[in-house]
Amino acid sequence: MTAGWSWDYDGYEPQRERLAEALCTLGNGRFATRGSAPECAAGPVHYPGTYLAGCYDRLTSLVAGRRVENEDLVNLPNWTLLRYRCLPDDGPPGAWLHPDSETLRHHDVHLDLRAGVLTRRLVFQDARGRGLRVTHIRIVHMGDARIAAQSSAFRAYGWSGAVEVESVLDGAVRNAGVERYRDLDGRHLTDHRTGFEPGGVAWLSCRTVESGIRIAMAVRTATRPARPAREDATGDRTVQTYRLPIGPRRSASVVKTLGLHTSLDRPAGEPRAVAVDSAARAPAFTTLLSTHKASWQRLWEQGELRVPGEAGRVLRLHLFHLLQTLSPHTAELDVGVPARGLHGEAYRGHVFWDELFVLPYVTLHFPEVARALLMYRHRRLPAARAAASGAGGRGAMYPWQSAGSGREETQELHLNPRSGRWLPDHSHLQRHVGSAIAINVWRYAQATGDRGFLHSAGAEILLEVARYWAGAATYDAGRDRYRIRGVVGPDEYHDAYPDAADPGIDDNAYTNATAAWVLARGLELLGELPEARCEELTGGLSLDREELSRWEEVSRRLYVPFHHGVVSQFEGFGDLAELDWGHYRDRYGDIRRLDRILEAEGDTVNRYQASKQADTLMLGYLFRPEELGDLFGRLGYTLDDDVWRSTVSYYLRRTSHGSTLSSLVHGWVLARQKGAQAWDHCREALLGDVADVQGGTTGEGIHLGAMAGTVDLVERGITGLEAVAEGLRVAPVALREIPRFAFTVCLAGHRGVRLRMLPGRLGVRLPDSAPAPLTILLPENRRGTVDPGQERWFRLG
Ligand code: BGC
């Protein structure tokens, strides 16, 4: 059964190639290779890329007369390159063949999502009717994370002779996958060495320029029929050339098997020796294929969400890419959640707040991976502390963009491709990223019951973020309120008041409300810690009574602005000019990147009530209405249903959805309140990458937050699923377009809890092995218990 499990591109369309490469990327959580044509090196149409999680390097470039540093996820040598041409017995050698050849007659790409196998088929035919059919099959092994393999089969039609094949390991690569970054230096690899070992193994070693990570790739090329290879090694590439006899009844094949090892890996070893050993010892392709498929089967059992129909197929593709970026192998690594997956170079492989949208799914299905992702943040707590104290603050100020070291990696200048101008980038003022990390810590612990983590690394993160907020808030005697000033909210458009000399806006409602939440959770956590641990922590962090009473005070007195009966995105938002949305839509069509449009016109989006993405509405994504009401109540404000509904409709009319996260959050919020436009936004979130809604950005890497978020939208958004101390709280809302689905999660010590949603009914099944019955809390104070081994159905109102 392949229905719903395949992703296909029929025909060859050069302008679609980058999108297909990104969406056909194969990975195993440790490294990934874009789904590029093996025949092609990087150029305007094709962009092969291989990325290793956590492998970053920093370079300095001169742009707009300034020296700027940028840390990139490094594009590794291209192991997939395979050149071939026909050598007919009765004529001169043919041209080298590739998808752009004039003789291409057929081309299709097929991604098998169940098995993690990418197949690319090409048929060439020359003017004399001589044909060559080529089938490439590629895997990046999900079981043995050091290995990838690519098998290429050749069949001749109407001629005989040989195919000449060059199996190349190409180290002359650079980071050049994003047009906007073309002025930046992208040569991250140096000290190349190449060579050959017996058994058809070629190797290439190099290191990254600044971070000094040593990388080795070894490729074993096996051919049928076997012929001695000519082996050439230049400084940064190896080429093995084969002449494979071929004819109508005689096919030929080439299998490249990659071993990848770097100095980041454990157990440590000399990279070249380990890579060569891995490639040399790897089993034959058929065995690799079957062990790879078996690993994927296990992964799907643990990770799958079953949704029928086309939405289900897109969700499966989203899950596929999520599992390839963050797999059980990730639990062994020191890596965060890269916003664009391991699928391209946009945002340079950096880690933003997007884990807020990714961790809920990962926690429910792969709690060990979620914990590892939080440990990435914990290891960078010293860097976040240094950033806070460097800015004159206390606690931990996590960077908006994080990569290797945990220091701030947000670019200082960004290019507006519309105007060609390099502009100062103030997005690093998105201090709310710290709250996202703290929220993840808390929710991970809630869902898993992992007190060990919460009381150790988790507590340190949460308390240090709380401490940062308490210090960042300044008292305004006139208002008798605390304020957080000079920040940027999730809506990155507004990075300053119109005509202000300094960047930043004041009292971003989302930032302040989440800061108050973190402070309150910090206090709650200290209250629940065993006494000895509490003393140890407060002693270690030098947290005294005076400081804690300030936390209490700030958590109750942070200022949240309102205007016209709605929550203001920030102080003064309601005073900004209204944008003539119709005018800009008519003029430009797609106005998602309104900031760029206005800047190119010599105007600025800072002047208008126009948001890039959900900002205030993020509060409705993160908190249930009662939680939000309590949070505002604690701050001395009333946020009832009326205020919230008015707030939602206010910002709906003033948001351009310039981020894929925006439609996801709007879809979620509207689905929860049964809003009419819910599906429009959910649909847009589902289409984000597959239809490349943001206009050409998917080819530069998938949008992992939106991909994971759509899966979570079904699992938690529709069901209202939440692990609480008493058991499992559910509060389903019907989404007509996704009426039925099923998934299996790990919750509070129960593995394999199966949930099935049908119109008007929710089923919960507990595995036999569950240690205890599970209490289900339903709306209107209904409750029920599910025993181990039992499935129970609950009627929904
Ligand atoms: C969004 C951010 C997001 C980043 C990385 C930006 O376009 O505005 O919210 O964190 O992309 O995905």
Side-chain angles (χ1 to χ4, degrees), residues 51-362:
Y51 308 96
L52 176 78
C55 182
Y56 294 103
D57 186 55
R58 187 187 307 285
L59 290 176
T60 304
S61 315
L62 196 65
V63 277
R66 269 172 67 173
R67 289 170 68 77
V68 292
E69 281 186 13
N70 279 296
E71 193 172 47
D72 285 318
L73 183 68
V74 176
N75 183 18
L76 301 189
N78 180 8
W79 66 274
T80 63
L81 199 56
L82 193 85
R83 288 171 21 102
Y84 50 86
R85 60 178 178 166
C86 302
L87 306 179
D89 287 336
D90 58 355
W96 294 100
L97 296 170
H98 46 76
D100 303 285
S101 298
E102 279 177 8
T103 53
L104 184 77
R105 294 288 172 270
H106 173 91
H107 181 271
D108 74 85
V109 176
H110 168 72
L111 179 60
D112 177 345
L113 301 173
R114 193 195 299 273
V117 176
L118 179 66
T119 305
R120 191 182 274 260
R121 282 182 286 252
L122 307 94
V123 177
F124 304 91
Q125 192 175 44
D126 68 13
R128 292 177 52 189
R130 293 186 295 208
L132 183 73
R133 169 184 286 274
V134 186
T135 306
H136 303 292
I137 302 177
R138 187 185 292 168
I139 59 172
V140 172
H141 206 280
M142 193 46 97
D144 185 340
R146 297 165 303 177
I147 301 289
Q150 175 178 287
S151 139
S152 306
F154 300 89
R155 287 194 86 86
Y157 296 93
W159 63 282
S160 28
V163 242
E164 185 172 42
V165 178
E166 288 184 358
S167 171
V168 185
L169 180 52
D170 184 11
V173 298
R174 52 193 285 254
N175 278 55
V178 178
E179 177 62 15
R180 290 185 302 290
Y181 306 159
R182 65 182 175 272
D183 292 347
L184 307 175
D185 193 353
R187 297 204 179 275
H188 290 288
L189 300 177
T190 186
D191 277 356
H192 294 79
R193 307 252 191 290
T194 51
F196 298 95
E197 298 288 324
V201 176
W203 58 265
L204 187 158
S205 67
C206 53
R207 70 170 173 84
T208 56
V209 171
E210 192 263 355
S211 53
I213 299 167
R214 291 191 299 136
I215 298 158
M217 282 181 160
V219 169
R220 183 184 77 201
T221 303
T223 57
R224 192 174 52 81
R227 275 285 177 286
R230 199 180 80 220
E231 297 182 326
D232 301 296
T234 57
D236 49 16
R237 60 175 8 214
T238 62
V239 182
Q240 291 162 294
T241 309
Y242 304 82
R243 284 189 173 195
L244 309 175
I246 193 170
R249 275 182 296 282
R250 189 170 192 194
S251 59
S253 71
V254 177
V255 176
K256 296 180 80 170
T257 305
L258 168 77
L260 167 64
H261 196 85
T262 76
S263 55
L264 290 176
D265 294 317
R266 297 290 169 271
E270 200 286 303
R272 188 193 61 82
V274 182
V276 166
D277 192 55
S278 305
R281 285 171 186 266
F285 189 72
T286 44
T287 309
L288 283 177
L289 200 57
S290 67
T291 50
H292 171 67
K293 286 182 181 172
S295 303
W296 263 108
Q297 191 183 337
R298 284 193 293 277
L299 207 55
W300 279 124
E301 277 161 19
Q302 205 174 334
E304 199 190 342
L305 160 69
R306 271 176 198 271
V307 177
E310 183 56 14
R313 193 171 75 102
V314 174
L315 285 163
R316 188 167 282 136
L317 180 79
H318 288 183
L319 252 181
F320 178 73
H321 287 301
L322 173 59
L323 296 176
Q324 295 197 109
T325 311
L326 306 170
S327 80
H329 295 294
T330 312
E332 305 294 318
L333 309 175
D334 174 33
V335 300
V337 176
R340 306 301 286 273
L342 299 170
H343 297 58
E345 293 164 14
Y347 288 135
R348 307 185 173 82
H350 291 177
V351 177
F352 298 61
W353 72 323
D354 301 48
E355 64 204 54
L356 193 56
F357 304 89
V358 176
L359 249 72
Y361 168 85
V362 178

Side-chain angles (χ1 to χ4, degrees), residues 487-556:
V487 298
V488 169
D491 155 38
E492 313 186 314
Y493 279 177
H494 294 92
D495 66 352
Y497 286 100
D499 306 320
D502 295 320
I505 46 93
D506 301 334
D507 311 303
N508 172 243
Y510 171 78
T511 303
N512 290 12
T514 49
W517 185 93
V518 173
L519 285 161
R521 293 295 81 71
L523 293 165
E524 188 181 330
L525 176 61
L526 287 171
E528 77 155 58
L529 284 174
E531 206 177 311
R533 179 63 187 137
C534 186
E535 275 172 23
E536 195 182 4
L537 256 178
T538 48
L541 299 175
S542 317
L543 268 176
D544 56 26
R545 273 184 190 289
E546 203 184 322
E547 194 173 349
L548 293 179
S549 69
R550 183 177 163 96
W551 289 21
E552 180 74 37
E553 161 92 356
V554 176
S555 76
R556 293 180 182 278

Side-chain angles (χ1 to χ4, degrees), residues 720-757:
L721 179 83
E722 196 186 340
V724 290
E726 287 172 272
L728 186 61
R729 192 203 314 266
V730 288
V733 284
L735 189 60
R736 197 162 39 86
E737 292 77 3
I738 305 190
R740 53 189 80 221
F741 55 89
F743 59 101
T744 307
V745 295
C746 313
L747 271 170
H750 295 274
R751 281 198 177 245
V753 180
R754 178 95 173 144
L755 284 104
R756 279 204 283 163
M757 180 91 170

